[in-house]
Structure formats: C-alpha cells, structure tokens
Amino acid sequence: MSFEQLQKEIDLWAQQFTVPYWKPHEIIVRLLEESGELAREVNHIYGPKKKKSTEENKEMGAEICDIFMNLICLANSQGIKLDDHWKDLINKLNNRDSLRFEKK
Amino acid sequence: MSFEQLQKEIDLWAQQFTVPYWKPHEIIVRLLEESGELAREVNHIYGPKKKKSTEENKEMGAEICDIFMNLICLANSQGIKLDDHWKDLINKLNNRDSLRFEKK
Amino acid sequence: MSFEQLQKEIDLWAQQFTVPYWKPHEIIVRLLEESGELAREVNHIYGPKKKKSTEENKEMGAEICDIFMNLICLANSQGIKLDDHWKDLINKLNNRDSLRFEKK
Amino acid sequence: MSFEQLQKEIDLWAQQFTVPYWKPHEIIVRLLEESGELAREVNHIYGPKKKKSTEENKEMGAEICDIFMNLICLANSQGIKLDDHWKDLINKLNNRDSLRFEKK
C-alpha cells in the first residue's frame, strides 16, 4: 500500500486538463463544501436534524472518498509526498499517542 | 444595538419546543453543514467550480444568517452573553489589530 | 436592534486599511479556521479529546464573535444587507420551521 | 494499493483501546478542527493572514494525513469499505467528470 500510487492515479487524470489543479484557497473552500456534505449525512443518520426530502441522499463512504480525492489534489499541486507524512503519523500513534486513551 | 435582543428573540422561538437547543456537538456538525453551503456559494460565484443545476441556489446573505442563527443557539444553550465578547473583540480590533494591516 | 449598525461598526474599522476586506475565498478559508477553533473548544469541554496544554484556551463566546466578525466582513465586502435576510430567517422560523420540532 | 490495508492498519491500532472509535458526531467535530488547521496553513502560506508566532507551524502534508486518519476512523467505525467507494469515484472521474473541465 502506498499513497504514491494513489497520488499518481489522480495526477494522470488531472493532467489531461489545461488547469490540472485548482489554487490552494479554492481547494480548501471545496474541502469545506465536502466536509459539510459529510456532516449533513452524520446529522441525518445520528442526529436531531431531519433531512429534507429534496436533499441529496449520498452515502457516507462516497463523501469520505470525495474529501480524500480533494486532499490528494492539494498534495499533488504542492508536490507533497503523503507517504512520508503518513509514516510520521503512524510513528506518532505508536509512541506519543499510544498512552492518550485508556487501554483494554 | 445589542446581541442580548438577538439572543432573546431566538430563545423565545426555541423555548416552545420540548428540546429548545441541540447538544453542542450537534450544533457544531450543523455549523459545518451550513459553512459548507456558504462555501459552495462562494466557489460557485467566484471560483472554478460550476454549480450543478440540481444544487440549491441559495443566497449568500441567507447562508450567513443561518450560521448566525446556529451560533446564537450555541451561545443561548451555554448561557453565553455575546455582548461581553463582542465588546472584547471591538477593543482588540482597535488596539492590537489596528496595526495588523497596512493603513491608508 | 439592527445588523446595519453592526455592519457599519465593522466597516468603519475596515475602511482605514488599504485593503478593507479580503477576497471571498480568503474569508471562507478564515471561516474554516475559526470554526475549527470553536470545534476544538467544544470537543475539549464536551468531547473525548483531551486538549493538550499547549493549545490556546480561548473561550467559546470569543470564538463565536470571531466568526460573526468574519461573516460581517464577507457581507460588507459583497454589499449584503443582513437585516433583510435576518427578517426572512425569522419568518421561516415562525412558519415552515414552527412544526419542525416537537412542541412543549 | 488498497484502502483495505490502510483501514486494517488503523483498526489494529484502535482496537487496543477500550473505546476504539469516537462517536460519529465527535469525529466530525474533530474533522472540523483538523480542516481548520489545514486552512490556517493555506492562509498562512498563500493568503493575507500573517500567522502569529505562537501558532503552531505544522506542515500541510501532516495536516492532510491527520484528516485521512480521522476519516479512516469514521469509515472503520461504520463498517464502510472505502475501496468500493473509491472505485465509484474513479469511474465518475473517467465518465461524467471527464468533460467537466477544459482539456489540454
């Protein structure tokens, strides 16, 4: 498993366009849009808000992947190698954060 | 002008229900939803994203007021007096932040 | 109580700078920042996440006012009169949404 | 490359705790926090906002991975298989969205 493949897969698609990636601010505004759609799903399924019938009924898994896609575009546009940062995150989980919650 | 009136106006409406205010987490998830809708408007009008025709065409001003309403509910549910905090904000603007940007 | 006064108060402050208001995308990215700070407060007080001691301990009321300020800047920069939209919102609350939740 | 491995890697870590995953609302509030941190980075590097020196200088790549981790937790807690939804997304990119932007 590597993020490199994932990033390449998206880059291959994006590079067919005259503007492969949006500007960082535009991507973040889009991230907020998509996070809002995921939030709506969660409030619909687990929360007090009744989703109105006109609202799009999109699955949680699809919304999560939309956010992934968006962030991969941000990473690609900035030349960020996610594998390196993911390694750091896993290290942090196994060290600093291993005592952050109550163990079984 | 006072936030107290604004908070009372909303409280009057909310108190007719068996559950006047949602829980803080539910309100924040709703805030994310509404911020996402505002973000969509902004990306639609100023950004690269074409809004699909099925997407609701709601005005920016209405979205802003939805967020205000939501945050007033959070404040009311927590007994927060917004006038006090607004005064602090104005003070900060006139002192610390008065040199933060380039003056005319 | 009117939003007009509130909008004027902020405009008076903003107009002293060479760039009174940021661009809409920049304001939305800032909105996400500030909403994130409010979310942190809520997860700290009501949620499972332990706030690390280095994290800024800012009050919920102050965070709410930061978001208000930000959105008033957006409205001002777009020539939006919030009073009109607030009236619509109150009308909607008293009509369509009056049956949305269980009454006392 | 598969999301399955990624999801298993995180699940292995999470299952050592008495509460492996937070509730959906808590995860979404955390998502908002983390998205806010990414937004701050972007506004710092590309935007008008000067980051104050006390603010944490965390890299964009690390923030992106934090959001990935958070969403993988949401998927795991809901039994969502991200590979299926990712396949759908790629299909959509190659069909419906292939004409959405101007081609080279």
Side-chain angles (χ1 to χ4, degrees):
Chain A
M1 152 75 208
S2 86
F3 278 101
E4 202 184 340
Q5 288 168 261
L6 210 54
Q7 293 188 254
K8 270 191 187 155
E9 185 180 22
I10 295 300
D11 194 54
L12 213 72
W13 175 80
Q15 292 301 343
Q16 66 181 313
F17 302 111
T18 51
V19 182
Y21 297 110
W22 296 356
K23 285 175 224 149
H25 274 80
E26 293 166 346
I27 294 180
I28 295 296
V29 172
R30 184 86 182 99
L31 169 67
L32 180 48
E33 259 191 71
E34 287 164 342
S35 302
E37 288 171 15
L38 181 61
R40 173 176 297 126
E41 287 296 315
V42 166
N43 245 352
H44 174 49
I45 301 175
Y46 300 99
K49 194 195 166 226
K50 296 270 180 13
K51 197 154 74 165
K52 286 168 280 176
S53 57
T54 54
E55 285 173 333
E56 200 179 348
N57 194 351
K58 222 185 142 190
E59 274 176 70
M60 221 184 272
E63 302 289 2
I64 292 173
C65 285
D66 281 352
I67 299 176
F68 276 3
M69 158 71 182
N70 187 16
L71 293 177
I72 289 168
C73 285
L74 180 61
N76 282 356
S77 75
Q78 304 299 308
I80 292 169
K81 295 182 178 185
L82 290 173
D83 282 318
D84 298 345
H85 297 283
W86 188 256
K87 236 173 272 165
D88 290 348
L89 182 145
I90 296 293
N91 279 339
K92 221 168 40 181
L93 287 185
N94 291 329
N95 293 290
R96 194 196 65 181
D97 288 356
S98 70
L99 300 169
R100 207 160 175 201
F101 305 104
E102 197 195 38
K103 293 220 179 172
K104 275 179 184 169
Chain B
M1 152 76 207
S2 86
F3 278 100
E4 202 184 341
Q5 287 168 262
L6 209 55
Q7 294 188 254
K8 269 191 187 154
E9 185 179 21
I10 295 300
D11 194 55
L12 212 72
W13 174 79
Q15 292 301 343
Q16 65 180 314
F17 302 110
T18 50
V19 181
Y21 297 110
W22 296 356
K23 284 176 224 147
H25 274 80
E26 293 166 347
I27 293 180
I28 295 294
V29 172
R30 184 86 181 99
L31 169 67
L32 180 49
E33 259 191 70
E34 287 165 342
S35 302
E37 288 171 15
L38 181 61
R40 174 177 297 127
E41 287 296 315
V42 166
N43 244 353
H44 174 49
I45 301 175
Y46 300 99
K49 195 198 165 223
K50 296 268 180 12
K51 198 153 74 163
K52 286 168 280 174
S53 57
T54 54
E55 285 173 333
E56 200 179 348
N57 193 350
K58 221 184 142 190
E59 274 177 70
M60 222 184 272
E63 302 288 2
I64 291 173
C65 285
D66 280 352
I67 297 177
F68 277 2
M69 158 71 182
N70 186 16
L71 292 177
I72 289 168
C73 285
L74 180 61
N76 283 356
S77 76
Q78 303 299 307
I80 293 169
K81 296 182 178 185
L82 289 173
D83 282 319
D84 299 347
H85 297 282
W86 188 256
K87 235 173 273 165
D88 290 349
L89 182 144
I90 296 294
N91 280 339
K92 221 168 40 181
L93 288 185
N94 291 328
N95 293 290
R96 193 195 66 182
D97 288 357
S98 69
L99 300 169
R100 206 160 175 201
F101 305 104
E102 196 194 39
K103 292 220 181 173
K104 275 178 183 169
Chain C
M1 150 77 206
S2 86
F3 278 101
E4 201 183 341
Q5 287 167 263
L6 209 55
Q7 292 189 254
K8 269 191 188 153
E9 185 179 22
I10 296 300
D11 194 55
L12 212 72
W13 175 79
Q15 291 301 342
Q16 66 180 313
F17 302 111
T18 51
V19 182
Y21 297 111
W22 296 357
K23 287 177 221 147
H25 274 80
E26 293 166 348
I27 294 180
I28 295 295
V29 172
R30 184 84 181 99
L31 169 67
L32 180 49
E33 259 191 71
E34 287 164 343
S35 302
E37 287 171 15
L38 181 60
R40 172 176 298 125
E41 285 297 315
V42 166
N43 245 353
H44 173 50
I45 302 175
Y46 300 99
K49 192 193 167 228
K50 295 270 181 10
K51 197 153 75 168
K52 286 168 280 175
S53 58
T54 54
E55 285 173 331
E56 199 179 348
N57 193 350
K58 220 185 144 191
E59 277 175 67
M60 223 184 272
E63 302 288 3
I64 291 173
C65 286
D66 281 351
I67 297 177
F68 277 2
M69 158 71 182
N70 187 16
L71 293 177
I72 289 168
C73 286
L74 180 61
N76 283 356
S77 75
Q78 303 299 308
I80 293 170
K81 294 181 178 185
L82 290 174
D83 282 318
D84 299 345
H85 297 283
W86 188 255
K87 238 174 272 165
D88 291 347
L89 181 145
I90 296 295
N91 280 339
K92 223 168 38 180
L93 287 185
N94 291 328
N95 294 289
R96 194 194 67 182
D97 288 358
S98 69
L99 300 169
R100 208 161 174 197
F101 305 104
E102 197 194 39
K103 291 218 180 173
K104 274 181 185 166
Chain D
M1 150 77 208
S2 87
F3 278 100
E4 201 184 341
Q5 288 168 263
L6 209 54
Q7 292 189 254
K8 270 192 187 152
E9 184 179 23
I10 295 300
D11 193 56
L12 212 71
W13 174 79
Q15 292 301 343
Q16 66 181 312
F17 302 111
T18 52
V19 181
Y21 297 111
W22 295 358
K23 285 176 224 148
H25 273 81
E26 293 166 347
I27 294 180
I28 295 295
V29 172
R30 185 86 180 98
L31 169 67
L32 179 49
E33 259 192 72
E34 287 164 343
S35 302
E37 288 171 15
L38 181 60
R40 173 177 297 127
E41 286 297 314
V42 166
N43 245 353
H44 174 50
I45 302 175
Y46 299 100
K49 192 192 167 227
K50 297 270 181 10
K51 197 153 75 166
K52 285 168 279 174
S53 58
T54 54
E55 286 173 329
E56 198 179 349
N57 194 351
K58 220 185 143 191
E59 275 177 70
M60 222 183 276
E63 302 288 3
I64 291 172
C65 286
D66 281 351
I67 297 176
F68 278 1
M69 158 70 182
N70 187 16
L71 292 177
I72 289 167
C73 286
L74 180 61
N76 283 356
S77 75
Q78 304 299 307
I80 292 170
K81 294 182 179 186
L82 290 174
D83 283 318
D84 299 345
H85 297 282
W86 189 255
K87 237 173 271 164
D88 290 347
L89 182 145
I90 296 294
N91 280 338
K92 219 166 42 177
L93 288 185
N94 291 328
N95 293 290
R96 194 193 68 180
D97 287 358
S98 70
L99 300 169
R100 206 159 173 201
F101 305 104
E102 197 194 40
K103 292 219 180 171
K104 275 180 184 166

